[in-house]
Amino acid sequence: MYKVYYIMHSCFLVELEDRYLLFDYFNKEVVKDTVVFKGGLPTLNPEKYLYVFSSHSHKDHWWIETLRWANDRGNIHYILSKDIKLGRNFLIRNGFDLSIRDKITFVAPLKKYHVDDMTIETLRSTDSGVAFVINVNDMNIYHAGDLNWWNAEGRGELYGEVYGREYKRALRPITNRHFDLGFVVLDSRMGEDGYFLGMEHFIKNIDCDHIFPMHMWGEYKWVERFKSRPGIANLKDRVVDIDQENMLFEIED
């Protein structure tokens, strides 16, 4: 059995027997004018290794203060998109010892990396940074970051078609793979005609056992709305029900 904690927004913590994988943790205070999140990290076992993934530099996906966790935890490593700029002068100016760079692996789109015993591949985002494809402990995990079929309401049909082509192209490398976990965008800001596009394409084309909706900006009603859509009746059980922050899911191997 392993555990998945939904923290908030696009932030999830996956707890395996020997490690934690933390995705896109951020400072909820920076978005409080848009939505008041109540999510927070659970108490972590200090003996378990912690891997911190950040898919890109947007303020709702990355927080520089997570680097300070290394002051109290030696067993930590960061996997950060290369658009997160942490140059020498910037680190010094913000009070970091330059040795922190030894604990960071920067990743670029469409590359493969080996971090300890994990294989980490990246996809090119349709917005910024990367999506993560991770093989760890015989599990395959996908985290979209901001890779989505963006189709903002009012932007016109051509806008959605362009993003649709890019989204489908971005997912081609994983089309024939099986995933145990997928964290996939379901953004209500896209409106009735667009919120479901990325999730629907994913669920119909990617073999994934457990799909966690994310990037919902606190609008959890859209999960049930998506699951009631025609055409996915035989697939909807793959989508995990999320209706608040700080949810824990225990999943049998």
Side-chain angles (χ1 to χ4, degrees), residues 134-190:
I134 303 159
N135 179 263
V136 53
N137 294 5
D138 296 321
M139 290 179 58
N140 290 317
I141 300 172
Y142 169 80
H143 188 283
D146 265 1
L147 174 54
N148 186 36
W149 184 331
W150 299 109
N151 187 32
E153 200 167 31
R155 295 293 293 271
E157 187 174 337
L158 180 60
Y159 177 90
E161 288 179 358
V162 170
Y163 272 99
R165 287 195 298 270
E166 292 300 314
Y167 182 68
K168 292 174 184 177
R169 183 180 297 118
L171 289 182
R172 280 177 192 161
I174 63 170
T175 299
N176 295 317
R177 299 197 204 178
H178 169 263
F179 288 88
D180 300 272
L181 296 174
F183 303 102
V184 183
V185 174
L186 189 72
D187 195 323
S188 64
R189 299 175 304 168
M190 301 301 101

Side-chain angles (χ1 to χ4, degrees), residues 77-111:
H77 195 82
Y78 301 86
I79 299 92
L80 309 180
S81 171
K82 277 192 172 179
D83 71 307
I84 297 173
K85 304 301 183 185
L86 297 174
R88 180 180 186 277
N89 291 338
F90 179 82
L91 288 170
I92 293 173
R93 194 164 59 247
N94 284 275
F96 292 99
D97 190 287
L98 293 181
S99 63
I100 189 64
R101 294 189 294 192
D102 297 334
K103 293 182 174 294
I104 300 173
T105 298
F106 287 102
V107 298
L110 302 176
K111 300 290 185 179

Side-chain angles (χ1 to χ4, degrees), residues 235-247:
L235 299 171
K236 67 179 182 179
D237 288 344
R238 297 185 186 180
V239 180
V240 177
D241 290 314
I242 292 177
D243 58 13
Q244 63 182 40
E245 290 95 55
N246 294 323
M247 296 185 72

Side-chain angles (χ1 to χ4, degrees), residues 110-123:
L110 302 176
K111 300 290 185 179
K112 180 183 287 189
Y113 303 86
H114 296 284
V115 177
D116 297 333
D117 60 349
M118 296 188 296
T119 300
I120 301 170
E121 297 172 74
T122 56
L123 304 181

